[in-house]
């Protein structure tokens, strides 16, 4: 087990290194530079700015300096867009907001999505299943900016129950969490349903039914445990996506998260 975890950790480091390297050289391959949009700047001023940020050095030298700062000090360097701000500071200001909204969305997905999927599987091809899967299909197909706009229109503009922007109160989290977690909730519901229906056809489940065990015991002790394996596998990337924020959601609800810097 320790050996497996160590190998996966090394694979993660190698993957991150490749992403960092590819991103660095792709950014340098793009025409222009961080000061291209600056107008009426004297050549000597531009040269001084390039020298200050070591952008006049060879690309490979810049790459080595970037790796040193990143791996030894976890310094992502200055922001060329926001004057006087470092990338680390921007992440430090925005990530707590995005992660809190994302964490609430993850709780909603787990607490609501999985039970809906299991209930739909138990009542397969009946009215509860059809209603749940119809709603889940809508949640997957409708874009998040449409969901956000509809939620704002109904619950903020028409009903006046919830604020339109900001996180000054607890009510301010409700609409962003619903909009951010809507797709993941719908996806997990459908996956839970299909996984549980597949488990129900296995031989050990048929044997449990033949023995006359109570349906709730079959569902919880035999079916649910195995049906959640693919669901838990898919929760990993979904959780990472929710915790890192969303440009669309944070823009619509004016949240000071990390998504607005993407």
């Amino acid at each position: 087990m320790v050996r497996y975890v160590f190998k996966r950790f090394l694979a993660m480091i190698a993957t991150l290194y490749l992403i960092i390297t590819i991103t660095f050289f792709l950014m340098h391959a793009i025409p222009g530079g961080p000061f291209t949009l600056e107008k009426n700047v004297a050549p000597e001023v531009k040269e001084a700015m390039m020298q200050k940020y070591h952008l006049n050095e060879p690309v490979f030298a810049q790459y080595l300096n970037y790796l040193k700062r990143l791996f030894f000090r976890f310094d992502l360097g200055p922001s060329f867009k926001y004057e006087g701000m470092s990338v680390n500071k921007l992440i430090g200001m925005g990530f707590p907001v995005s992660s809190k909204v994302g964490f609430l969305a993850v709780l909603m997905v787990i607490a609501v999505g999985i039970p809906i999927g299991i209930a739909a599987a138990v009542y397969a091809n009946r009215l509860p299943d059809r209603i749940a899967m119809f709603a889940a299909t809508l949640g997957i197909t409708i874009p998040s900016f449409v969901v956000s706009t509809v939620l704002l229109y109904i619950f903020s503009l028409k009903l006046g129950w919830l604020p339109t922007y900001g996180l000054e109160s607890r009510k301010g989290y409700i609409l962003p969490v619903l909009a951010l977690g809507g797709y993941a909730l719908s996806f997990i519901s459908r996956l839970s349903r299909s996984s549980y229906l597949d488990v129900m056809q296995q031989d050990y489940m048929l044997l449990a039914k033949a023995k006359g065990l109570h349906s709730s015991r079959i569902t919880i002790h035999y079916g649910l445990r195995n049906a959640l394996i693919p669901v838990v596998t898919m929760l990993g990337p979904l959780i990472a996506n929710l915790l890192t924020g969303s440009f669309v959601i944070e823009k619509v609800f004016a949240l000071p998260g990390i998504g607005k810097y993407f």
Side-chain angles (χ1 to χ4, degrees):
M1 181 64 181
V2 175
R3 185 179 180 182
Y4 173 78
V5 173
F6 181 70
K7 289 173 65 176
R8 298 303 298 173
F9 178 77
L10 291 180
M12 180 189 71
I13 297 297
T15 303
L16 289 175
Y17 172 73
L18 287 175
I19 292 173
I20 290 169
T21 301
I22 293 172
T23 304
F24 181 89
F25 285 104
L26 280 178
M27 291 300 295
H28 278 75
I30 298 174
F35 309 117
T36 302
L37 298 179
E38 298 291 338
K39 298 179 179 179
N40 302 323
V41 177
E44 56 271 16
V45 174
K46 189 173 182 179
E47 181 63 29
M49 294 169 68
M50 298 287 286
Q51 186 174 358
K52 176 182 178 181
Y53 295 109
H54 304 284
L55 297 177
N56 57 345
E57 298 180 359
V59 175
F60 191 71
Q62 297 181 46
Y63 174 66
L64 292 179
N65 290 332
Y66 178 65
L67 289 182
K68 289 178 183 177
R69 294 199 311 268
L70 184 62
F71 286 110
F72 293 104
R73 293 181 291 170
F74 199 69
D75 181 11
L76 294 170
S79 169
F80 296 119
K81 182 175 178 61
Y82 300 93
E83 186 177 355
M85 301 285 285
S86 67
V87 177
N88 292 53
K89 189 173 183 180
L90 293 174
I91 294 175
M93 291 189 303
F95 184 71
V97 177
S98 296
S99 61
K100 187 173 183 179
V101 175
F103 177 73
L104 294 174
V106 170
L107 291 181
M108 180 188 71
V109 169
I110 296 175
V112 179
I114 295 177
I116 287 178
I118 300 301
V122 172
Y123 296 97
N125 300 320
R126 284 182 275 180
L127 184 60
D129 176 36
R130 292 171 181 171
I131 294 175
M133 290 303 99
F134 176 75
T137 302
L138 288 180
I140 290 177
T141 55
I142 298 178
S144 58
F145 68 89
V146 176
V147 175
S148 304
T149 306
V150 171
L151 290 175
L152 277 175
Y153 179 77
I154 296 175
F155 295 102
S156 297
L157 183 61
K158 287 298 183 181
L159 299 177
W161 293 351
L162 300 171
T164 57
Y165 65 91
L167 300 173
E168 284 76 17
S169 64
R170 294 181 179 179
K171 290 183 178 180
Y173 286 92
I174 297 176
L175 293 184
V177 168
L178 289 175
L180 182 62
Y183 172 84
L185 189 149
S186 302
F187 179 81
I188 289 299
S189 298
R190 291 172 62 90
L191 181 61
S192 300
R193 176 186 182 275
S194 61
S195 178
Y196 187 80
L197 287 176
D198 182 64
V199 168
M200 290 293 290
Q201 303 302 319
Q202 301 300 317
D203 292 339
Y204 61 87
M205 293 293 288
L206 298 177
L207 179 61
K209 290 181 180 179
K211 287 183 176 181
L213 296 179
H214 196 273
S215 59
S216 61
R217 185 178 181 187
I218 295 175
T219 301
I220 298 174
H221 291 279
Y222 295 96
L224 188 59
R225 190 175 300 176
N226 294 311
L228 287 181
I229 294 176
V231 176
V232 171
T233 303
M234 291 304 302
L235 276 176
L238 284 176
I239 289 174
N241 184 52
L242 293 175
L243 291 179
T244 51
S246 167
F247 170 77
V248 174
I249 303 302
E250 295 183 5
K251 191 73 174 177
V252 172
F253 294 101
L255 304 182
I258 199 173
K260 66 179 180 180
Y261 301 120
F262 283 167

